[in-house]
Amino acid sequence: MNAKVQIQLSEQLIPFYSTLDMLDAYSLASETASQLQTLLNQIIKSTAQIKIYAQESNIHADTFSELESLISISQYLSDHHINTFDAESEKYQSELGVSNAQYDAGDLFNAYSLAHEATLWLQTMFYQIKNEAEAIKQETIKLGSGIFTNLERLIHIAEYLADNHANTLDTEREKYEAEWEATANG
């Protein structure tokens, strides 16, 4: 009795990703947060210049307290996100060449979801900063609108960049989410 058993191996249903893919995701997230933090630092400088000019024009410093609070919160969020993403990048950087670890779409979905959410938070803060700066501009109309030009431009650049990065991260997030769901549903 010589029965032939024919085994057909099915295609690998779950694609795996390397440590480099995870490193790329967190490096992109860190770079995004760093770029937004750089713009935030310039917004801080511009706000300080306007505040000095306003005080010289006898406008009370409390006028800027809400704006400064929003900027402070944004700075904290930005620092926190950079630290988180840098720690993850370092973790995967140290695994390069040492580990043959494999990751699935769910891992990349999580990485890009975190980066997307962090960017949305900063994007929201930039919108709030813009609204508050506009309110101060209206309240201090005697200063003239020209003094706010640099600040407004920086805020617009930050909004644009945050929006652009959020869209990029969302596209990646959605791609891995769809792949993850497809493999989960088998």
Side-chain angles (χ1 to χ4, degrees), residues 18-164:
S18 69
T19 302
L20 186 57
D21 295 310
M22 294 298 290
L23 177 62
D24 287 346
Y26 284 109
S27 295
L28 176 61
S30 180
E31 182 62 29
T32 296
S34 294
Q35 289 174 5
L36 295 175
Q37 185 179 56
T38 298
L39 285 166
L40 184 60
N41 289 338
Q42 293 304 307
I43 288 169
I44 291 168
K45 288 178 184 178
S46 184
T47 301
Q49 291 171 341
I50 294 169
K51 185 176 176 181
I52 290 168
Y53 183 75
Q55 287 174 328
E56 290 171 355
S57 300
N58 295 321
I59 294 174
H60 200 276
D62 287 347
T63 304
F64 293 86
S65 61
E66 186 76 17
L67 177 60
E68 290 172 323
S69 293
L70 289 168
I71 291 171
S72 178
I73 292 166
S74 301
Q75 193 170 29
Y76 171 79
L77 287 172
S78 177
D79 288 342
H80 176 71
H81 296 320
I82 289 171
N83 291 338
T84 299
F85 299 140
D86 283 349
E88 290 296 317
S89 292
E90 288 174 20
K91 177 178 117 180
Y92 292 109
Q93 181 70 41
S94 69
E95 286 184 17
L96 279 177
V98 177
S99 170
N100 290 329
Q102 292 184 326
Y103 303 93
D104 59 29
D107 296 314
L108 285 163
F109 167 68
N110 290 337
Y112 282 109
S113 291
L114 179 62
H116 178 250
E117 186 70 22
T119 304
L120 287 178
W121 288 4
L122 289 173
Q123 181 185 34
T124 300
M125 293 306 296
F126 286 128
Y127 285 124
Q128 293 301 315
I129 289 168
K130 179 178 92 176
N131 291 339
E132 187 59 29
E134 183 61 33
I136 292 170
K137 180 179 173 181
Q138 296 305 318
E139 187 177 323
T140 60
I141 198 76
K142 74 177 187 177
L143 291 177
S145 62
I147 190 83
F148 289 90
T149 302
N150 188 49
L151 177 61
E152 290 171 330
R153 286 182 182 154
L154 288 167
I155 293 169
H156 286 289
I157 292 168
E159 285 178 321
Y160 170 79
L161 197 57
D163 186 50
N164 190 22

